[in-house]
Amino acid sequence: MNRNQVRPQRRHATPSRIGRVRRQAVPKPRVIIALLLLLGLVSVMLLDGYLRAEVGNDQRVRSDASASKVPDSVLDGGPFLSFQGGTARTRSVPDKTIVLTFDDGPDPEWTQKVLDILDDNDVPGTFFLVGSMISRYPDVVRRMVDDGNEVGVHTFTHVDLSYQSAARVTREIAQTQLALAGAAGITTTLFRAPYSSTNDAIDNYSWPVYKKLGAMGYTSVFIDTDSEDWQQPGVSKIIKWATPKSGKGASVLFHDAGGNRAQTLEALPQYIKKMKSKGYTFTTVSGAQQQAQGQQAQGQQAQGQQTQAPQGTPGTAGNTRQSNPEQAAHRTADTATLWEGRALLGAVAVAEWTVPGLAAVLAVVGVAVLGRFAMMLVLARRHYRQRNRRRFSWGPSVTEPVSVIVPAYNEKECIANTLNSLAASTHPIEIVVVDDGSTDGTAEIAESLGLPNVRVIRQPNAGKPAALNNGVRHARYDIVVMMDGDTVFEPDTVQRLVQPFGDPEVGAVAGNAKVGNRTTMIGAWQHIEYVMGFNLDRRMYDLLRCMPTIPGAIGAFRRDAVLGVGGMSEDTLAEDTDITIALHRAGWRVVYAEHARAWTEAPASLGQLWRQRYRWSYGTMQALWKHRKSVTDRGPSGRFGRVGMPLVVLFQIVTPVFAPLIDVFTVYAMIFVDFKASLLAWLAVLLVQLVCAGYAFRLDRERYRYLLMLPLQQIAYRQLMYLVLIHSCVTAATGGRLRWQKLKRTGEVATPAPGTGVR
């Protein structure tokens, strides 16, 4: 398909006006809109992947580091570590007191059930929350705080902070505080590092982190009793391991997320009842610290000493303590932090809805794409068998002369090759060259060749549709063949192309357009696309009797049929698609002659390719919209409207628009889900495409070596085509207009040798 001519120039094209036309060729605002949409989607997916960092199985990245720089008083001290005046200080849980701590939440299932158990038993808990989980389930956090429980920071992505940069540490803490502010309107002074549950887990790498956090006013909370419920050892062992010895107080670790917590839920109420029966009371970290501080103050008063005021805590100036003493670590978030937190939760909510929704859409698209491949293979095979039967015939052999119309606008590089190839035709033809106001001597070159049966008709520049209509009016014969000025035919092309007219129901015939300049990478990519996409598709559409497009490079028409629908229309930029649909609606049958081959010069640069495909895509949308009423028509027109049009919309617009997301999701899954499984899935789809392409090459008797370019085509070229289509959709949605653009030609596609083609 080649639509390379300019729109009618109704005013004189001054150099400044031409410059304006060129600048308007690619509407920059629409490009920006498309790029912003793509950037927004990628950002949402990255946020979703960041939020879904794996949580669970508390195992350190490295466990053999030295702790020589960590004071023994910290390693052997109580589970609550704070700093006063730069000096590390620990506190223990008072005797007969239990601090229930829970890691890795919130979880919409397990945390809610843990909260139910705590409410039923009238005991509080201290939950160390992962910021990404807070962002996804803020309602659970809100209930947690409202029920009188205490919360602390457990980083945003559950990463081992001892091996991270200072900036990463700060970011992990700050992001979690923002999420907490957005969810419950508070911040907290409590912190627990992932993979560091007990004091002796502190080493020379992590010690600076704790010192930095202490200077910021955080209390780092460890444990001295571990239920090890994350190992799922059984209910009895969880209870046993969570029970402190000899009536001592304990900071006990459980988990409310990060895995299956059924055993934890079963063990927790039994454990609470057991400890209460032994005279234990339950409190939060702040409650235990207040008790310990009170006991220390009493001891100091007994010795006549004065107590030292506690160090300040993290948060913005003006923050106040909560009224509940069990939540003394909580701070009311200031206005800026509150709204930043709400903005974070809003972005997360968008990601939580968008990514699963897109995943569902892409699952449908993936099924449609694979279904299309299957349908193409089955129908193409049936089409091949049907057309190659010995008894197959279109009817009486077509031997009468035909008119070949060659519209030409500044085709000096190609016109000689085009006309020389037509002169070698084995079928009687007349050649009508319609020079559309060329300024490079195209008409003179055509006349100078001295070829028989060649007429050159000159007209002012009016565009390709006008040139074709002029050629139809001057044609002497009932069948007209239309081609582009940069295309060459094989000697038997015309003969093969017109044979379907032996059937009186046939009004038009699509030929087999092939890429002649396939020696470059871009040319090879387009060659694969032409053979696999365009021509394999046409076999399918032919069998379904709903051919959507006769390529501009090679097509044949009954002259009366073209005139009967008003000729080639200037309403759209896809005059070939427009005329094809119009013929369907007029009751004519449109078929595909796969053995009638034409060799066309494809765009040789990415810029020209973008402009060509942008125009094709936009023009196709215009044609479909123009003929939208065919959906409700009866007869042949209704068949195209209810069969052909939905297939074109689905396979040439909808699925290609969403297809780039499949690749984006593949990368997403490789990074955030399962690299091996995602790669294998991508390779499986590539294999399906390779099978389809291989079969298409077999039907067209093409050399398989070009299929070596298929993986790279899928990675690079296909993405470009998808972006072009998205750009076209944005242009259509915003009501933009697009002009014709002349593509640069080289004339490198030569006249093919008889029976060989250009290989």
Side-chain angles (χ1 to χ4, degrees):
M1 202 185 308
N2 190 324
R3 313 176 184 114
N4 61 356
Q5 293 184 261
V6 297
R7 295 284 286 176
Q9 297 293 326
R10 304 188 185 279
R11 288 184 288 180
H12 183 63
T14 64
S16 61
R17 179 174 173 78
I18 293 174
R20 288 196 298 271
V21 170
R22 289 176 180 173
R23 285 194 295 270
Q24 293 172 357
V26 179
K28 292 183 179 180
R30 297 184 179 91
V31 175
I32 294 174
I33 292 174
L35 292 176
L36 287 176
L37 290 174
L38 181 61
L39 177 61
L41 175 63
V42 172
S43 300
V44 166
M45 294 182 66
L46 288 176
L47 175 59
D48 186 76
Y50 184 49
L51 295 172
R52 296 179 186 277
E54 184 178 354
V55 175
N57 291 353
D58 287 57
Q59 296 179 355
R60 298 210 59 179
V61 176
R62 181 169 57 200
S63 58
D64 57 352
S66 172
S68 59
K69 298 180 181 180
V70 184
D72 291 339
S73 60
V74 172
L75 294 174
D76 300 329
F80 307 143
L81 171 64
S82 60
F83 287 77
Q84 293 183 357
T87 302
R89 183 172 183 175
T90 65
R91 282 195 176 95
S92 299
V93 180
D95 292 344
K96 288 287 185 176
T97 303
I98 296 292
V99 176
L100 289 176
T101 67
F102 300 88
D103 281 5
D104 297 346
D107 180 273
E109 178 183 2
W110 305 114
T111 302
Q112 293 278 29
K113 293 178 179 179
V114 167
L115 292 174
D116 290 340
I117 293 172
L118 297 182
D119 287 346
D120 292 342
N121 290 274
D122 195 26
V123 298
T126 302
F127 293 82
F128 290 92
L129 307 177
V130 178
S132 61
M133 302 290 283
I134 299 174
S135 302
R136 294 166 62 190
Y137 309 113
D139 293 343
V140 181
V141 179
R142 197 170 299 115
R143 176 196 169 181
M144 189 182 293
V145 174
D146 291 343
D147 286 354
N149 300 286
E150 198 164 48
V151 298
V153 172
H154 199 44
T155 73
F156 197 84
T157 60
H158 204 267
V159 65
D160 190 342
L161 294 182
S162 58
Y163 309 109
Q164 306 300 323
S165 66
R168 175 68 182 274
V169 172
T170 302
R171 186 168 65 250
E172 288 281 336
I173 303 299
Q175 289 173 341
T176 306
Q177 293 280 29
L178 281 179
L180 188 57
I186 63 169
T187 58
T188 182
T189 65
L190 302 181
F191 169 79
R192 174 175 286 166
Y195 315 112
S196 303
S197 57
T198 59
N199 295 53
D200 58 10
I202 304 175
D203 56 30
N204 292 343
Y205 292 94
S206 57
W207 179 237
V209 175
Y210 290 108
K211 291 175 66 176
K212 176 181 179 179
L213 293 174
M216 295 168 62
Y218 283 96
T219 296
S220 296
V221 180
F222 298 91
I223 62 165
D224 43 30
T225 305
D226 190 352
S227 70
E228 298 192 35
D229 60 338
W230 63 272
Q231 298 188 47
Q232 301 183 40
V235 173
S236 60
K237 288 186 177 180
I238 291 176
I239 296 173
K240 177 181 178 182
W241 293 341
T243 302
K245 295 179 173 42
S246 305
K248 291 184 176 296
S251 172
V252 185
L253 174 61
F254 289 91
H255 292 80
D256 63 319
N260 188 318
R261 300 306 176 211
Q263 291 186 8
T264 301
L265 295 178
E266 187 176 351
L268 188 58
Q270 298 180 37
Y271 172 75
I272 294 173
K273 290 181 175 64
K274 174 184 176 182
M275 300 313 296
K276 282 185 174 181
S277 68
K278 291 188 174 187
Y280 276 83
T281 60
F282 291 83
T283 186
T284 61
V285 170
S286 292
Q289 284 187 295
Q290 290 177 355
Q291 291 181 32
Q293 186 176 358
Q295 292 176 1
Q296 182 181 9
Q298 292 177 1
Q300 289 175 341
Q301 288 175 359
Q303 298 176 13
Q305 298 178 355
Q306 294 182 349
T307 59
Q308 186 176 9
Q311 185 187 11
T313 53
T316 306
N319 285 349
T320 59
R321 290 184 181 273
Q322 298 290 327
S323 59
N324 187 343
E326 296 294 312
Q327 298 175 317
H330 294 177
R331 301 288 181 271
T332 301
D334 60 40
T335 302
T337 303
L338 179 66
W339 284 105
E340 287 179 27
R342 290 176 177 174
L344 172 62
L345 297 190
V348 171
V350 171
E352 286 286 291
W353 281 97
T354 301
V355 174
L358 284 176
V361 171
L362 292 183
V364 175
V365 171
V367 171
V369 170
L370 293 177
R372 178 198 180 197
F373 286 144
M375 185 165 63
M376 286 170 59
L377 288 176
V378 171
L379 296 182
R381 177 62 177 171
R382 183 178 299 177
H383 181 274
Y384 175 80
R385 288 183 175 181
Q386 182 185 87
R387 295 297 167 82
N388 288 274
R389 292 174 182 169
R390 291 183 179 180
R391 297 181 180 180
F392 176 79
S393 174
W394 289 106
S397 178
V398 177
T399 59
E400 61 266 25
V402 301
S403 300
V404 179
I405 302 172
V406 185
Y409 173 76
N410 288 346
E411 298 285 1
K412 67 176 182 179
E413 297 87 358
C414 308
I415 192 66
N417 288 340
T418 298
L419 297 181
N420 284 327
S421 73
L422 290 174
S425 175
T426 59
H427 193 91
I429 61 172
E430 70 154 348
I431 304 171
V432 181
V433 178
V434 183
D435 182 76
D436 189 34
S438 297
T439 58
D440 65 347
T442 296
E444 289 74 13
I445 295 174
E447 292 174 332
S448 68
L449 295 176
L451 298 175
N453 299 321
V454 175
R455 286 187 291 150
V456 177
I457 300 173
R458 290 176 170 85
Q459 68 176 37
N461 178 249
K464 183 178 179 181
L468 289 171
N469 288 331
N470 198 3
V472 171
R473 287 191 295 269
H474 284 82
R476 295 179 178 143
Y477 302 111
D478 293 334
I479 296 175
V480 294
V481 173
M482 299 182 185
M483 65 183 300
D484 287 326
D486 60 352
T487 302
V488 298
F489 280 6
E490 296 179 6
D492 62 351
T493 295
V494 174
Q495 180 183 2
R496 292 178 178 273
L497 184 64
V498 300
Q499 293 311 306
F501 290 110
D503 182 346
E505 294 183 358
V506 173
V509 182
N512 189 344
K514 291 185 168 295
V515 175
N517 53 330
R518 59 180 70 174
T519 55
T520 65
M521 180 178 294
I522 296 177
W525 285 344
Q526 293 177 81
H527 171 51
I528 296 173
E529 180 186 29
Y530 270 59
V531 176
M532 178 184 174
F534 298 161
N535 295 330
L536 203 60
D537 267 350
R538 288 193 180 100
R539 287 181 170 88
M540 175 183 70
Y541 287 123
D542 187 5
L543 203 62
L544 296 175
R545 295 198 174 194
C546 56
M547 184 77 63
T549 302
I550 297 174
I554 175 170
F557 304 82
R558 293 190 189 274
R559 184 171 180 271
D560 291 343
V562 174
L563 296 176
V565 297
M568 310 299 287
S569 174
E570 297 183 12
D571 294 339
T572 73
L573 297 182
E575 81 289 335
D576 42 14
T577 300
D578 195 342
I579 188 69
T580 305
I581 301 176
L583 290 173
H584 279 294
R585 300 190 70 183
W588 291 102
R589 183 180 174 190
V590 181
V591 300
Y592 176 51
E594 68 270 24
H595 299 301
R597 298 186 296 186
W599 300 84
T600 187
E601 182 177 333
S605 70
L606 291 178
Q608 293 187 64
L609 180 63
W610 180 285
R611 289 192 291 272
Q612 182 196 64
R613 299 308 173 84
Y614 180 33
R615 186 167 17 90
W616 286 10
S617 299
Y618 187 67
T620 298
M621 294 178 194
Q622 287 180 310
L624 293 175
W625 181 254
K626 176 181 176 180
H627 295 284
R628 62 190 180 277
K629 292 184 178 179
S630 64
V631 175
T632 59
D633 288 347
R634 295 181 179 181
S637 176
R639 178 178 179 82
F640 177 82
R642 288 185 288 274
V643 178
M645 187 171 290
L647 288 177
V648 173
V649 171
L650 178 63
F651 293 145
Q652 295 186 27
I653 298 177
V654 176
T655 54
V657 164
F658 285 97
L661 302 183
I662 296 178
D663 296 320
V664 173
F665 264 78
T666 300
V667 175
Y668 167 86
M670 287 181 178
I671 297 174
F672 297 111
V673 184
D674 188 323
F675 176 84
K676 184 178 180 180
S678 303
L679 179 60
L680 289 176
W682 185 82
L683 291 175
V685 174
L686 180 63
L687 179 61
V688 172
Q689 293 177 309
L690 183 62
V691 170
C692 291
Y695 185 64
F697 270 59
R698 178 186 175 187
L699 292 181
D700 271 19
R701 298 181 180 179
E702 291 286 351
R703 296 176 181 177
Y704 293 113
R705 68 169 183 253
Y706 291 101
L707 294 180
L708 295 174
M709 300 292 294
L710 183 62
L712 187 58
Q713 187 213 38
Q714 297 301 300
I715 295 174
Y717 177 81
R718 189 178 65 169
Q719 311 309 318
L720 177 65
M721 295 300 98
Y722 292 156
L723 291 176
V724 169
L725 181 59
I726 293 172
H727 188 187
S728 302
C729 290
V730 173
T731 302
T734 55
R737 299 288 297 174
L738 186 63
R739 296 175 180 268
W740 287 97
Q741 302 161 36
K742 177 72 172 70
L743 299 180
K744 183 179 179 181
R745 300 301 181 188
T746 64
E748 61 183 295
V749 180
T751 305
T756 61
V758 180
R759 300 290 177 91

